[in-house]
Amino acid sequence: MTVKIQVYSDFVCPFCYLGKKPFEEAIQGKDVEVEWMPFELRPSGSQPIDPWNEPSKLQGWNSYISPMAEKWGVDMKLPRLSPHPYTGLAFEGYHYAKEQGKGNAYMNRVFAAFYQEELNIGELEVLTELASGIELEAEDFRAALISGKYKSVQDEARRHAYEEAAVTAVPTFIIGGQRIQGVTNRESFEQVLNEELAKDQGGLTIIPGLQCDVDGSCYDPS
């Protein structure tokens, strides 16, 4: 049985990037179907995330994210962008890339651009260059974002995440009939995957982990 997995995440959520490594290691070679689901922690017009000017968020980075990244061997840094960009436009680009069969490649590239290269992923020209780098047609991509072709698609994706999926913190992994809210290690992902591969999907079981919530705070809920 193929296990369907939905991963709700935001590009400016450090736990979302941190959690990609153990998750991707856990699903390697398994019969799964992964769909990345956009979740905007701070939609355009709301107060942006600005960790460099918010001591509690810097403390969260130093207390949880940096030590875990070092432990798991994840190459990431806190981007020196103040404030952090809104991600609605980047997700519009994701919808374009997904239609072209490159959704996963786009997600990986934009995450790396932000957390490794400190690029402003809220800028059209930056996103266009990233799209070109994964062999998407740059001018068509750029024109689609300028025209707002995927704005309503992203509006619906945001509404779905907030209202239908009831996601309140990211990353959130819905793996078959279980929900992992936050980051966990490879072994925990594998345990859930093995359970789901061995049974029919049923009601959701929620498993908490390191996460970022809608006010931009990143923490360990345990």
Side-chain angles (χ1 to χ4, degrees):
M1 179 188 72
T2 300
V3 174
K4 293 185 178 182
I5 303 174
Q6 293 179 317
V7 184
Y8 292 84
S9 63
D10 194 354
F11 294 117
V12 294
C13 162
F15 283 132
C16 294
Y17 186 63
L18 180 64
K20 280 175 82 278
K21 183 174 182 179
F23 170 70
E24 290 171 348
E25 289 175 347
I27 65 174
Q28 188 172 358
K30 292 186 172 61
D31 185 9
V32 300
E33 180 183 316
V34 179
E35 182 179 11
W36 291 91
M37 308 295 290
F39 183 91
E40 295 178 52
L41 285 166
R42 297 288 181 86
S44 180
S46 61
Q47 185 70 23
I49 297 171
D50 192 3
W52 288 105
N53 289 304
E54 297 181 49
S56 64
K57 291 182 175 55
L58 278 178
Q59 182 180 358
W61 180 278
N62 293 329
S63 298
Y64 302 120
I65 300 160
S66 184
M68 193 64 70
E70 183 176 354
K71 178 180 178 180
W72 287 351
V74 178
D75 178 15
M76 64 184 299
K77 63 189 75 172
L78 179 60
R80 288 191 173 276
L81 297 171
S82 182
H84 282 182
Y86 295 115
T87 54
L89 189 65
F91 280 126
E92 290 179 40
Y94 164 69
H95 295 298
Y96 174 97
K98 185 178 178 181
E99 280 192 358
Q100 305 301 315
K102 291 184 175 290
N104 286 354
Y106 179 88
M107 293 291 292
N108 290 334
R109 186 65 191 95
V110 175
F111 265 124
F114 188 60
Y115 284 109
Q116 294 182 4
E117 302 163 48
E118 303 182 78
L119 298 180
N120 188 341
I121 59 170
E123 294 183 352
L124 175 64
E125 296 308 323
V126 170
L127 293 171
T128 301
E129 185 174 347
L130 297 176
S132 177
I134 58 169
E135 300 181 347
L136 290 171
E137 209 293 308
E139 287 308 311
D140 191 50
F141 176 90
R142 188 175 187 277
L145 266 60
I146 289 175
S147 71
K149 180 178 180 180
Y150 295 93
K151 187 178 186 305
S152 63
V153 179
Q154 175 52 22
D155 289 344
E156 174 57 23
R158 184 172 60 246
R159 187 200 64 79
H160 161 78
Y162 293 167
E163 299 177 12
E164 295 178 0
V167 173
T168 59
V170 285
T172 290
F173 304 82
I174 298 181
I175 303 175
Q178 300 191 55
R179 180 187 294 238
I180 298 178
Q181 186 168 292
V183 174
T184 189
N185 57 33
R186 174 180 176 174
E187 291 76 18
S188 295
F189 278 125
E190 288 178 335
Q191 178 181 344
V192 171
L193 281 166
N194 290 335
E195 290 173 0
E196 292 302 307
L197 286 166
K199 71 177 182 67
D200 292 331
Q201 296 183 16
L204 287 177
T205 300
I206 299 178
I207 302 171
L210 302 172
Q211 56 194 257
C212 294
D213 64 19
V214 292
D215 74 355
S217 298
C218 298
Y219 61 96
D220 182 352
S222 63

